Amino acid sequence: MNNTRKLTVMAAFIAIGIVGSQFIWFPAGVARAYPVQHAINVMAAISLGTGPAVLIAFLMALIRNLLGLGTLLAFPGGMIGAFLAGILYNRFKKKGWAAIGEIVGTGVIGALLSFPIANFLMDSASGALFFIPVFLVSCVPGAIIGLVLITRLNGQIKRVVNEKHEEAA
């Protein structure tokens, strides 16, 4: 696998996530819902693997926070969703499992782990179960969009990453 191509695809995913977050988001309690993040998590988990998907989720959350476009809750939600999407896709080799991993990872596990962050760092009095429906509203449509896009792209992303660079003789 060509590392330059892989890094280029990762950078493209991050750029799409940042630009998409400026246009497609909606308030959801103390959080902001970014379905583009979840779509990219699914697409990255399928086309690049677990590690790169988690790194992409982390960098998108970091950049969005630095630009004032996101909240601290993007870290546990996005990263856990990307991780579980990659793990389930690798285990079952079915794209649908990546979407399920994103939904469970972000919508349930990430939501529950967001409670202490919101409580202590963001001074929010919301209960732990408050975040589950809020996160699900964002990650379910995002995961479905990512699944549809990666299916429609018919392996184009994977092909770009895996092509061997032919050097001129």
Side-chain angles (χ1 to χ4, degrees):
M1 186 173 295
N2 187 326
N3 286 332
T4 303
R5 289 178 190 266
K6 193 172 192 176
L7 285 172
T8 303
V9 172
M10 290 172 67
F13 276 140
I14 294 167
I16 291 166
I18 300 303
V19 172
S21 70
Q22 292 181 7
F23 300 109
I24 304 171
W25 69 274
F26 51 92
V30 296
R32 292 183 194 157
Y34 294 101
V36 175
Q37 166 84 51
H38 309 292
I40 289 177
N41 283 354
V42 170
M43 293 169 60
I46 292 169
S47 61
L48 299 171
T50 305
V54 172
L55 181 59
I56 289 167
F58 171 76
L59 290 171
M60 282 195 305
L62 180 65
I63 293 168
R64 281 198 333 253
N65 274 277
L66 291 173
L67 294 173
L69 300 171
T71 67
L72 294 175
L73 304 180
F75 289 101
M79 293 171 63
I80 293 168
F83 177 76
L84 199 52
I87 293 294
L88 290 181
Y89 178 73
N90 286 336
R91 170 72 172 92
F92 297 107
K93 299 298 183 208
K94 301 279 185 191
K95 294 174 185 173
W97 281 103
I100 291 169
E102 174 65 23
I103 292 167
V104 171
T106 297
V108 179
I109 300 169
L112 291 173
L113 291 176
S114 292
F115 167 69
I117 293 171
N119 193 22
F120 298 116
L121 298 177
M122 298 172 66
D123 199 29
S124 172
S126 300
L129 297 179
F130 166 79
F131 292 105
I132 293 175
V134 170
F135 278 39
L136 285 173
V137 163
S138 178
C139 72
V140 169
I144 292 169
I145 290 167
L147 183 60
V148 168
L149 287 175
I150 199 73
T151 301
R152 296 294 293 169
L153 289 172
N154 200 22
Q156 293 298 320
I157 296 170
K158 237 180 184 172
R159 198 171 345 208
V160 167
V161 172
N162 292 327
E163 279 181 2
K164 300 215 187 269
H165 181 66
E166 296 179 15
E167 296 184 37

